[in-house]
């Protein structure tokens, strides 16, 4: 396991007190000036250190001509970093309308380049939001942890594939990040690992301690980078894959001939067609095994 990053100074409170390079006030002042006391119900754990948010922004790679979709800009720490690192446009969806005046300050600095929507990201029609966009689109966010997994699954299950984004760089609580990149045989391996790794190359690129955030959450965090695989193999239907993993991991301690009974009438036949022993358990199957099972179901040769 990687060592956690050292404790983080926020840009206003650090010994250097260097001014943010965009000329806007330090984030701590923004939060005070716009009365943005963090709301726990909205998962508001802000990142105030521009060194960290800029590092997250840089993980998106070449920013020229790039539009970044951001969920939950809050007072705008990551949004500012995205622009400082050269993003052409940011399309942001924030549930908390109190953040409007802070985000307006950023919009004034980058005329016509920040498109902020005040809505629930779970309801967003992403393709509609980026319809007018030219050039590559990526997703970057310090996600609200209460809806992070749901948002991720929505982006991973999007159709058609390859998706509308070419990369995602997302902050999760560390336990979720570890589930995303988990390998077969590990405790963390499950539905999220299979979906993530079938459709993308996913890796943890940064660990952050709770103290990096204001206020600090109860758990450590990690940033995961996802690069879509253009043609995931075996080429099954993503919804079928979700059904297979739900059945298999729903009873992860049981043998597959038992746990897949909710999925098909004769699991042994399906498993034989996939070349998998009926006595295997979900956590020992590879991502490829799951996709092969789903593909056999898609073809209707499942013994159901
Ligand atoms: N990006 C800021 C940062 O890094 O400091 C804030 C990140 S904070 C962890 C999560 C943000 O998501 C908050 O601003 C919160 O209001 C917003 N949020 C929470 N639930 C949301 C939802 N369902 N849709 C859109 N935004 C949401």
């Amino acid at each position: 396991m990687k060592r956690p990053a050292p404790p983080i100074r926020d840009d206003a409170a650090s010994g250097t007190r260097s001014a943010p390079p965009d000329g806007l006030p330090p984030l701590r002042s923004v939060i005070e000036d716009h009365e943005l006391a963090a709301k726990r119900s909205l998962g508001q754990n802000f990142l105030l250190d521009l060194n960290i948010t800029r590092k997250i922004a840089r993980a998106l790679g070449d920013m020229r001509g790039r539009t970044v979709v951001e969920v939950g800009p809050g007072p705008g720490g990551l949004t500012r970093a995205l622009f400082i690192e050269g993003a052409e446009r940011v399309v942001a969806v924030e549930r908390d309308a109190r953040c409007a005046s802070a985000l307006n300050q950023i919009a004034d600095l980058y005329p016509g380049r920040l498109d902020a929507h005040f809505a629930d990201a779970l309801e967003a029609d992403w393709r509609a939001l980026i319809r007018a966009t030219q050039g590559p689109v990526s997703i970057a966010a310090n996600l609200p942890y209460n809806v992070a997994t749901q948002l991720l699954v929505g982006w991973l299950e999007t159709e058609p594939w390859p998706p509308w984004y070419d990369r995602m760089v997302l902050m999760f609580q560390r336990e979720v990040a570890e589930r995303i990149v988990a390998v077969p045989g590990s405790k963390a391996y499950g539905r999220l690992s299979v979906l993530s790794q079938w459709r993308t190359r996913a890796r943890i690129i940064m660990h952050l301690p709770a103290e990096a955030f204001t206020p600090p959450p109860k758990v450590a965090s990690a940033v995961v980078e996802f690069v879509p695989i253009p043609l995931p193999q075996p080429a099954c239907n993503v919804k079928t894959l979700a059904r297979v993993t739900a059945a298999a991991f729903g009873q992860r301690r049981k043998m597959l001939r038992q746990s897949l009974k909710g999925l098909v009438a004769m699991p042994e036949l399906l498993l034989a067609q996939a070349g998998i022993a009926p006595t295997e358990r979900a956590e020992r199957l590879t991502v490829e095994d799951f996709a092969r099972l789903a593909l056999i179901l898609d073809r209707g040769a499942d013994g159901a």
Side-chain angles (χ1 to χ4, degrees):
M1 191 162 301
K2 284 185 194 153
R3 262 189 309 141
I8 306 301
R9 303 167 314 192
D10 90 54
D11 58 354
S14 73
T16 59
R17 292 191 179 276
S18 56
D22 55 10
L24 291 174
L27 281 154
R28 197 171 285 282
S29 311
V30 171
I31 288 171
E32 275 166 20
D33 296 348
H34 299 273
E35 299 181 4
L36 296 177
K39 285 189 184 175
R40 188 190 284 250
S41 61
L42 287 174
Q44 291 184 336
N45 303 104
F46 301 131
L47 277 173
L48 305 187
D49 187 337
L50 267 177
N51 294 316
I52 297 178
T53 45
R54 289 183 68 175
K55 201 168 161 195
I56 296 170
R58 282 199 295 275
L60 291 174
D62 187 354
M63 286 291 222
R64 275 170 302 177
R66 183 170 292 275
T67 293
V68 183
V69 168
E70 185 190 1
V71 168
L78 179 57
T79 321
R80 285 167 63 174
L82 292 166
F83 282 123
I84 291 168
E85 294 300 331
E88 176 65 31
R89 210 173 144 225
V90 176
V91 176
V93 179
E94 169 59 63
R95 201 164 163 193
D96 187 354
R98 293 181 309 157
C99 301
S101 53
L103 295 176
N104 279 340
Q105 279 190 330
I106 305 173
D108 288 345
L109 190 63
Y110 302 99
R113 292 167 62 188
L114 173 58
D115 192 4
H117 302 265
F118 292 91
D120 183 347
L122 289 173
E123 311 278 312
D125 178 348
W126 302 108
R127 283 179 195 277
L129 289 178
I130 57 155
R131 194 167 289 141
T133 298
Q134 287 173 356
V137 180
S138 341
I139 308 175
N142 171 16
L143 289 172
Y145 291 156
N146 49 345
V147 291
T149 310
Q150 215 177 325
L151 286 166
L152 173 65
V153 169
W155 289 323
L156 289 172
E157 289 190 346
T158 190
E159 293 288 353
W161 196 268
W164 48 269
Y165 54 85
D166 68 359
R167 187 178 292 248
M168 300 191 279
V169 173
L170 305 173
M171 176 91 68
F172 297 93
Q173 59 190 82
R174 186 158 131 186
E175 171 264 328
V176 174
E178 283 169 357
R179 275 164 48 205
I180 290 165
V181 302
V183 295
S186 65
K187 248 171 121 178
Y189 186 62
R191 297 169 64 177
L192 203 53
S193 332
V194 175
L195 175 61
S196 302
Q197 296 171 37
W198 176 63
R199 276 203 150 170
T200 71
R201 281 185 287 115
R203 64 187 182 113
I204 293 178
I205 57 170
M206 202 188 298
H207 283 94
L208 285 174
E211 309 83 69
F213 301 82
T214 303
K218 289 203 175 73
V219 291
S221 299
V223 178
V224 185
E225 173 203 77
F226 303 80
V227 179
I229 296 168
L231 292 171
Q233 295 296 325
C236 64
N237 183 306
V238 68
K239 292 287 179 200
T240 315
L241 182 65
R243 285 201 299 126
V244 173
T245 55
F249 286 106
Q251 304 181 66
R252 63 187 292 143
R253 284 176 205 286
K254 295 214 167 128
M255 292 179 193
L256 289 164
R257 68 178 175 212
Q258 181 64 29
S259 58
L260 295 186
K261 269 190 181 154
L263 186 70
V264 287
M266 293 161 65
E268 275 100 344
L269 197 54
L270 171 64
L271 290 162
Q273 284 169 342
I276 296 167
T279 51
E280 277 295 11
R281 290 176 169 81
E283 63 190 20
R284 281 175 40 95
L285 295 198
T286 63
V287 172
E288 203 253 332
D289 286 335
F290 280 110
R292 204 165 62 252
L293 284 168
L295 187 62
I296 294 167
L297 284 174
D298 285 338
R299 289 179 177 156
D302 57 11

